[in-house]
């Protein structure tokens, strides 16, 4: 039966009549917005602008924990272990593009914002190689093993990250890196740079 003990409306009704008004007297259902990015929900976070990169295997662009987990691990792997900064730079940069200084007052209006350089870097890597965010072909443990082997062969974590920046797909290679020499690893990264630069310019008169 409906508990009407603390309902002022129910106290004004005849006994038994409250059953007809149950929908009105019942407390409203709890409303929980579905997680859009993770964050405060305790799930791994992923920037909103990165979700369109997953459209091919996630047509509705809904939040999926396994995709966001890949993103989170990429952010970790593109940083030097034990540090929150990316190799060769700091964690954030200040973006003052939304701030305007008045000519007369010399005061600034608008907002300055801190841009997470790790997120920007990972976004660029995923833009070049979207399959990094596809759980069907990417695995976070393979990512970690790829970086470990690169650091082992190249001599440092910074050198490994440098190769990963030029050739993000190498993170999907895993144990196959064991069979690559240093020259092959660097050659692969160099080839990726050439492909990104576009077709070579033909020499005049050629």
């Amino acid at each position: 039966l409906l508990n009407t003990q603390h309902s002022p409306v129910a106290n004004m009704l005849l006994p038994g009549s409250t059953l007809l008004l149950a929908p009105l007297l019942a407390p409203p259902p709890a409303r929980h917005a579905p997680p859009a990015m993770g964050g405060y929900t305790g799930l791994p976070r992923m920037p909103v602008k990165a979700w369109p990169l997953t459209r091919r295997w996630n047509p509705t662009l809904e939040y999926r924990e396994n995709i966001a987990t890949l993103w989170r691990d990429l952010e970790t792997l593109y940083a030097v272990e034990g540090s929150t900064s990316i190799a060769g730079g700091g964690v954030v940069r200040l973006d003052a593009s939304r701030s305007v200084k008045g000519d007369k007052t010399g005061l600034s209006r608008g907002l300055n914002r801190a841009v997470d350089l790790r997120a920007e870097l990972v976004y660029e890597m995923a833009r070049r190689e979207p399959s990094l965010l596809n759980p069907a072909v990417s695995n976070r443990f393979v990512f970690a093993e790829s970086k470990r082997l690169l650091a082992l062969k190249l001599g440092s974590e910074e050198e490994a990250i440098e190769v990963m920046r030029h050739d993000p797909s190498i993170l999907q290679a895993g144990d196959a890196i064991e069979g690559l020499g240093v020259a092959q690893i660097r050659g692969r990264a160099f080839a990726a740079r050439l492909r990104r630069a576009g077709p070579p310019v033909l020499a005049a008169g050629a």
Side-chain angles (χ1 to χ4, degrees):
L1 294 178
L2 184 68
N3 182 5
T4 61
Q5 180 179 0
H6 302 295
S7 172
V9 177
N11 291 336
M12 297 167 56
L13 300 176
L14 296 175
S17 62
T18 56
L19 294 177
L20 299 176
L21 296 177
L24 299 177
L25 299 174
R31 300 175 64 183
H32 300 288
M37 287 177 51
Y40 292 122
T41 64
L43 298 172
R45 302 180 65 178
M46 179 165 151
V48 172
K49 73 174 184 178
W51 286 101
L53 300 176
T54 71
R55 189 182 301 276
R56 185 175 299 175
W57 55 90
N58 182 27
T60 60
L61 302 185
E62 64 182 309
Y63 177 90
R64 289 173 54 185
E65 185 177 357
N66 55 354
I67 294 176
T69 298
L70 290 172
W71 175 278
R72 180 198 63 194
D73 281 43
L74 287 170
E75 281 194 343
T76 301
L77 292 170
Y78 273 95
V80 177
E81 187 174 356
S83 169
T84 56
S85 65
I86 61 175
V91 180
V92 297
R93 66 175 172 83
L94 185 65
D95 178 11
S97 62
R98 302 181 184 181
S99 178
V100 179
K101 182 174 290 188
D103 293 334
K104 294 182 179 180
T105 64
L107 300 177
S108 296
R109 325 193 285 277
L111 297 173
N112 292 333
R113 64 189 183 114
V115 178
D116 187 335
L117 295 180
R118 290 172 303 165
E120 291 296 305
L121 175 60
V122 172
Y123 176 79
E124 177 59 23
M125 299 299 99
R127 188 187 65 79
R128 287 191 222 154
E129 192 63 50
S131 65
L132 289 173
L133 298 177
N134 184 352
V137 297
S138 290
N139 182 290
R140 56 189 293 234
F141 301 108
V142 173
F143 287 173
E145 180 64 4
S146 298
K147 182 183 177 182
R148 186 188 73 81
L149 291 172
L150 286 172
L152 189 64
K153 285 182 172 286
L154 298 174
S156 72
E157 191 174 2
E158 288 80 2
E159 289 293 323
I161 292 174
E162 187 64 20
V163 166
M164 289 158 47
R165 289 173 69 133
H166 294 305
D167 180 18
S169 67
I170 201 168
L171 283 171
Q172 296 168 316
D175 292 339
I177 296 175
E178 286 272 23
L180 299 178
V182 172
Q184 291 173 298
I185 293 171
R186 295 195 186 280
R188 175 174 165 154
F190 182 70
R193 290 177 62 185
L194 290 181
R195 287 194 300 270
R196 195 165 66 253
V201 178
L202 295 177

